[in-house]
Amino acid sequence: MSAPALSFNGATMEFPGVKALTDVSFHVHAGSIHALVGENGAGKSTLLKILSGAYRPTAGGLALGDRAQGFRDTSAALAAGVAVIYQELHLVPEMSVAENIFLGHLPRRAGLVDRRELAAAARRQLELVGESIDPATKVRKLPLAQRQMVEIAKALTRGARILAFDEPTSSLSDREVRRLFTIIRDLKARGCAILYVSHRLEEIFALCDRITILRDGRHVETAALGNLTRDEVVRRMVGRELSHIHQYAPRPAVGAGLAIKNLTGPGLAAPVSFAAHAGEIFGFFGLVGAGRTELLRLIYGATEKTGGQVLLQGARVDIAKPRDAIAAGIVLCPEDRKKEGIVAVRSVLENINLSARRRTARAGVFINESWEQANARQRIEQLRVRTPSARQLIRHLSGGNQQKVILGRWLSETVKVILLDEPTRGIDVGAKSEIYGIMQDLARAGVCVIVVSSELPEVLGTADRIAVMRQGRIAAVLDRADATEEKLLRLALPVESTPAA
Amino acid sequence: MSNPTARRAVADFLDRAGMLLVLAALFVVCSVGVENFLSWRNLQGLSLAVSTTGMVACTMLFCLAAGDFDLSIGSVVACAGVLAAVVMTRTGSITLGILGGLGLGALAGYVNGFVVARLRINALITTLATMQIVRGLGFIISDGKAVGIGQENFFLLGNSGFAGIPTPVWITAACFTVFGLVLNRTVFGRDTLAVGGNTEAAHLAGIDVARIKVVIFTVQGLMAAFAGIVLASRMTSGQPNASLGFELEVISACVLGGVSLTGGVGSMGFVIAGVLIMGIVQNAMNLLNVATFYQYVARGLILLAAVLFDRWKRRRQVG
């Protein structure tokens, strides 16, 4: 057999404090469709970014044919015939289809763009992917499925022989998926090597020849798909031992906490209802994009809901904006700490008092300086925030300590329900464990703790009950005793009719 | 410096005192090197010259700290002066004239705030539009000519003094004090910095972002109108051509005073330093008979230097 078209050889990617990828090796052959699967955070995106030249691996690397390659940047990868087609497409919406296809190397005559040649060449490229779009159409006017075809045509124009698709079907209809599969099979027949990243196992079994499974940044297995069943794939994606960092201890539920009835709004596919008790840790598991963040934002009033009720300890509360939620005792630690949580250019003290100062100000206007200082000191001590002083700018703190500051912001208020969206994302193990400890303490004190997480061990290790969300709705609610990694993942994976071959 | 702790301490000191040191050095150099600079008469003139910039810089600080800016203030200064003059001439009432000018400023500011905060239009575009609208209104009201004022008592506002210091300078000092207190000691001031530092985080922490922005723009308009009325009093007339390019002068002074254009960072002390640095440079160039054309170049260079210095400082902090 000839040399594989693409090989990863011990690819390793280390970020400060996190090893995203450890010694991953496998081959992808020309004329073959190769699936890449793994949980959220298993390392798929990192691997794609190494392939596209966006990241340079800290050790190991990749080879095209028998030549080792180290892409300096994304244009080097493109020049070598590698194209990665991301979920968010990289097209310029205000430019025409033809201009997008030839972006960066428009055909020229006498220094000017040769419009006629551009249109003709674009039409030829579009025919290759079976599209008959007018090349003069603005990309903004195309439906998503056609934009994807434009992106593929663009990749082929640059002579791509290795194409990687990142969740290409996440927003396509069944019919569009079938079209896409025809194109991908055609690419395979023409000898391209295809790397296909998806959560949808049905699609993978219908389309792909081989599969590589990643878990926690490590290579688990590469095999021909005929040798594996769906269950075997799922089992290999999970199957870790729960560690002791979760500090779980059973607690009694102490009455009604947060109840949601028929909540509707952007990001939810169906009305959502659930009830979590005071003193309970209620987990939400799901894949990225399952609607969990959207659900929390709707409860909190950060996004306007279109219907439904929020009940707090049995009484209905009207929440139109975050301030209403805070006043009722419902608080949110957002998913994206940098973008939505911290005010980076201000001090730890100011970040802690950001909300409570409205309550403690003298005459509602003048800052109560001594209270704020005492409060900041108390929260820093209580949550063991590691900072040289309360006056330190929060951006100089580590992610874990920033998260503790945000928790401290809410502990300065009277909290009945705390909504935690990916509370330990990008945080090292030590700080993670401390945050789990804080969650347990809060629940023991009678707070209703709602935690959204994409990490199976995290929800399994911390929550009393776990709701699994899938495609904008709650698929099931499991008790701690019934929940296993396999069950949760199976419930979280999208259900679809298997696309016909 | 060999000792890293000492170097760190010096760097921290420079960070905190940077522009104040520049101001002190500039003052000393001008005192020694520029004839007549230290004379009482010149210092009076200097302080009077920066008083208008100073007043409006107070509210511009809030605007910038919240992550926006306002280009319409130069037009508001002129139009409010003209309107006050016209109303006084027609009605013979000083009070009505002043109220008319202030009302115009508040309205212009409220419109800015409403469009920026509630309709979510970019502040650059919004205030660029109101800048031209309000400038045009000033010309329309005055028919393009200076409007003389007959009420002599009104001139006291701009031309009287107390303890040897002109009234407008007292007013400016009062503004520095009051707005400095608001920024540092009130929930509103701290919320302003939080909104500029991270709008989404401020919103999720229960801060009413839109309300804060509307208030800031409205007060900004009010303040610019007030400065325009004081200016009209000093000039004993309303001039539709007054304070062209004034907005850039005020923003320059703020940036020179270390206010971040991306929001979230700013302090009154440094803004005062920025205002004074711009004023002293201008004054010294006048005393040295530097031609106006060169003064523009010099002012631009100073601003550029200040911004580059700021960038350098920030990169060093991150690294």
Side-chain angles (χ1 to χ4, degrees):
Chain A
M1 200 185 227
S2 63
L6 165 69
S7 326
F8 288 95
N9 300 319
T12 300
M13 189 76 207
E14 252 178 287
F15 297 103
V18 191
K19 218 165 181 183
L21 217 53
T22 311
D23 195 20
V24 170
S25 306
F26 64 92
H27 307 301
V28 181
H29 295 280
S32 132
I33 305 175
H34 194 111
L36 181 63
V37 298
E39 262 192 275
N40 298 329
K44 294 169 299 184
S45 307
T46 310
L47 202 69
L48 283 187
K49 284 194 172 145
I50 289 175
L51 180 62
S52 74
Y55 287 167
R56 302 190 69 179
T58 41
L62 53 88
L64 303 183
D66 40 22
R67 276 222 346 250
Q69 292 275 359
F71 298 136
R72 226 175 322 104
D73 50 29
T74 47
S75 51
L78 280 173
V82 175
V84 178
I85 294 168
Y86 287 104
Q87 234 168 319
E88 326 78 56
L89 303 175
H90 294 183
L91 296 172
V92 188
E94 287 301 326
M95 289 172 80
S96 74
V97 168
E99 285 167 320
N100 267 290
I101 291 177
F102 288 92
L103 200 65
H105 56 123
L106 294 166
R108 257 173 281 200
R109 199 170 56 189
L112 299 174
V113 174
D114 184 345
R115 294 259 153 215
R116 195 172 312 162
E117 170 58 23
L118 176 62
R123 201 164 282 126
R124 281 197 298 277
Q125 290 298 333
L126 287 168
E127 270 164 24
L128 282 181
V129 294
E131 280 290 344
S132 53
I133 319 165
D134 176 4
T137 318
K138 289 225 165 96
V139 161
R140 141 177 84 79
K141 293 190 176 157
L142 298 180
L144 195 83
Q146 283 193 321
R147 288 189 206 187
Q148 211 159 33
M149 296 303 166
V150 173
E151 184 87 42
I152 296 171
K154 180 175 150 190
L156 295 178
T157 309
R158 305 191 174 195
R161 300 291 294 159
I162 294 163
L163 287 97
F165 292 87
D166 184 15
E167 297 282 351
T169 58
S170 56
S171 21
L172 300 187
S173 70
D174 282 356
R175 208 165 51 93
E176 291 165 340
V177 170
R178 281 195 289 275
R179 277 284 313 279
L180 179 70
F181 282 8
T182 314
I183 304 294
I184 292 180
R185 289 199 181 97
D186 190 42
L187 292 172
K188 167 186 165 181
R190 278 193 269 141
C192 291
I194 315 268
L195 191 60
Y196 188 87
V197 179
S198 179
H199 278 307
R200 304 190 173 190
L201 296 185
E202 322 289 345
E203 286 180 12
I204 285 171
F205 277 92
L207 179 71
C208 301
D209 307 308
R210 292 169 66 77
I211 186 167
T212 289
I213 302 164
L214 297 181
R215 188 205 306 149
D216 294 337
R218 291 169 189 277
H219 178 259
V220 177
E221 183 164 359
T222 296
L225 264 170
N227 300 338
L228 286 174
T229 64
R230 191 178 193 273
D231 281 351
E232 282 168 329
V233 171
V234 171
R235 207 166 306 138
R236 282 163 176 72
M237 284 164 71
V238 295
R240 249 168 323 197
E241 283 182 37
L242 291 190
S243 45
H244 301 294
I245 64 165
H246 300 108
Q247 311 196 8
Y248 182 83
R251 287 158 267 101
V254 290
L258 179 75
I260 301 300
K261 286 201 175 136
N262 296 320
L263 189 70
T264 55
L268 299 183
V272 167
S273 305
F274 69 90
H277 306 297
E280 180 182 35
I281 299 181
F282 193 85
F284 272 95
F285 177 73
L287 302 173
V288 171
R292 298 163 302 160
T293 295
E294 290 79 358
L295 175 63
L296 292 197
R297 288 181 62 93
L298 285 166
I299 296 172
Y300 190 60
T303 313
E304 209 177 327
K305 58 175 175 284
T306 53
Q309 291 178 10
V310 177
L311 282 84
L312 185 60
Q313 297 174 349
R316 192 178 155 178
V317 282
D318 287 317
I319 297 171
K321 51 181 188 294
R323 188 183 282 199
D324 302 339
I326 298 165
I330 302 175
V331 299
L332 169 76
C333 294
E335 177 185 17
D336 190 333
R337 242 185 341 266
K338 273 212 176 66
K339 261 209 205 112
E340 305 179 320
I342 62 167
V343 182
V345 293
R346 307 306 308 177
S347 66
V348 169
L349 179 139
E350 288 203 52
N351 274 283
I352 287 178
N353 292 310
L354 196 62
S355 175
R357 65 168 40 129
R358 239 163 299 292
R359 221 167 17 81
T360 61
R362 298 206 164 94
V365 174
F366 297 101
I367 300 278
N368 188 339
E369 192 73 34
S370 56
W371 185 89
E372 290 205 355
Q373 282 189 10
N375 183 51
R377 220 177 8 246
Q378 186 193 340
R379 300 305 160 201
I380 287 171
E381 219 165 276
Q382 174 192 7
L383 304 173
R384 286 195 291 268
V385 179
R386 272 171 282 279
T387 173
S389 89
R391 296 275 166 202
Q392 173 80 325
L393 292 190
I394 193 171
R395 68 159 174 230
H396 297 312
L397 268 53
S398 72
N401 284 303
Q402 291 179 355
Q403 187 69 292
K404 288 193 225 162
V405 168
I406 296 175
L407 285 167
R409 178 189 298 166
W410 294 131
L411 297 191
S412 315
E413 299 276 10
T414 318
V415 179
K416 293 177 187 148
V417 178
I418 187 162
L419 311 169
L420 302 167
D421 197 351
E422 305 282 2
T424 66
R425 172 167 292 174
I427 289 177
D428 63 81
V429 177
K432 256 187 186 178
S433 183
E434 286 184 75
I435 285 171
Y436 297 145
I438 295 166
M439 285 162 58
Q440 299 290 335
D441 289 345
L442 283 170
R444 212 167 295 125
V447 174
C448 172
V449 180
I450 311 269
V451 56
V452 157
S453 177
S454 300
E455 289 184 37
L456 279 168
E458 183 164 297
V459 271
L460 283 167
T462 60
D464 299 304
R465 282 188 298 155
I466 300 161
V468 180
M469 284 194 79
R470 174 178 70 213
Q471 295 170 313
R473 64 191 82 210
I474 293 181
V477 178
L478 302 177
D479 275 327
R480 180 183 179 81
D482 300 335
T484 63
E485 295 204 355
E486 278 185 58
K487 262 190 199 167
L488 291 186
L489 193 59
R490 206 172 313 225
L491 283 163
L493 289 171
V495 276
E496 77 256 65
S497 48
T498 310
Chain B
M1 272 160 282
S2 53
N3 185 341
T5 347
R7 197 186 311 164
R8 182 79 204 237
V10 170
D12 279 357
F13 176 69
L14 282 177
D15 273 354
R16 265 179 286 124
M19 279 300 147
L20 298 178
L21 286 179
V22 173
L23 174 63
L26 188 65
F27 192 84
V28 170
V29 168
C30 289
S31 305
V32 177
V34 181
E35 213 178 331
N36 290 330
F37 179 78
L38 263 189
S39 74
W40 185 244
R41 236 183 98 82
N42 182 58
L43 289 182
Q44 258 187 347
L46 166 62
S47 59
L48 204 52
V50 298
S51 65
T52 314
T53 320
M55 281 181 227
V56 184
C58 290
T59 44
M60 185 63 87
L61 165 59
F62 278 79
C63 212
L64 294 172
D68 290 317
F69 53 93
D70 187 347
L71 296 177
S72 70
I73 49 170
S75 301
V76 172
V77 166
C79 188
V82 167
L83 186 68
V86 169
V87 173
M88 273 181 231
T89 314
R90 295 267 169 87
T91 64
S93 160
I94 295 176
T95 318
L96 280 182
I98 292 177
L99 286 179
L102 292 178
L104 172 105
L107 180 68
Y110 178 77
V111 170
N112 281 335
F114 184 83
V115 175
V116 170
R118 305 267 180 212
L119 307 183
R120 295 173 187 245
I121 307 291
N122 179 297
L124 173 75
I125 305 299
T126 307
T127 60
L128 193 63
T130 46
M131 166 182 164
Q132 301 182 67
I133 294 169
V134 175
R135 178 67 66 180
L137 287 177
F139 282 120
I140 294 169
I141 297 168
S142 64
D143 200 19
K145 294 186 282 280
V147 182
I149 300 170
Q151 278 68 20
E152 301 227 340
N153 279 341
F154 176 64
F155 304 151
L156 287 176
L157 181 60
N159 299 300
S160 62
F162 176 72
I165 293 171
T167 308
V169 179
W170 283 113
I171 295 174
T172 307
C175 289
F176 283 149
T177 315
V178 169
F179 284 101
L181 281 176
V182 172
L183 187 68
N184 288 321
R185 298 286 170 81
T186 67
V187 176
F188 185 85
R190 305 327 280 174
D191 281 358
T192 300
L193 290 166
V195 166
N198 187 341
T199 308
E200 188 56 26
H203 173 62
L204 290 181
I207 295 173
D208 191 340
V209 174
R211 198 188 119 249
I212 285 188
K213 290 195 170 189
V214 170
V215 170
I216 288 174
F217 273 105
T218 308
V219 175
Q220 165 100 79
L222 206 56
M223 200 66 213
F226 182 65
I229 291 166
V230 174
L231 190 66
S233 165
R234 274 169 57 196
M235 300 188 301
T236 68
S237 63
Q239 312 256 5
N241 273 319
S243 59
L244 281 166
F246 178 63
E247 57 282 340
L248 300 182
E249 212 172 295
V250 174
I251 293 172
S252 299
C254 286
V255 171
L256 206 55
V259 183
S260 160
L261 278 182
T262 48
V265 180
S267 76
M268 189 54 87
F270 279 19
V271 165
I272 297 174
V275 169
L276 290 176
I277 290 171
M278 294 293 269
I280 289 176
V281 168
Q282 180 120 7
N283 180 266
M285 287 194 293
N286 284 336
L287 290 175
L288 294 171
N289 287 321
V290 177
T292 325
F293 301 160
Y294 291 91
Q295 294 196 10
Y296 279 109
V297 177
R299 286 208 309 246
L301 288 176
I302 291 168
L303 181 59
L304 202 57
V307 183
L308 290 175
F309 173 69
D310 185 57
R311 163 56 59 89
W312 171 79
K313 215 169 63 180
R314 207 165 327 154
R315 192 170 304 164
R316 216 205 48 217
Q317 276 174 358
V318 171

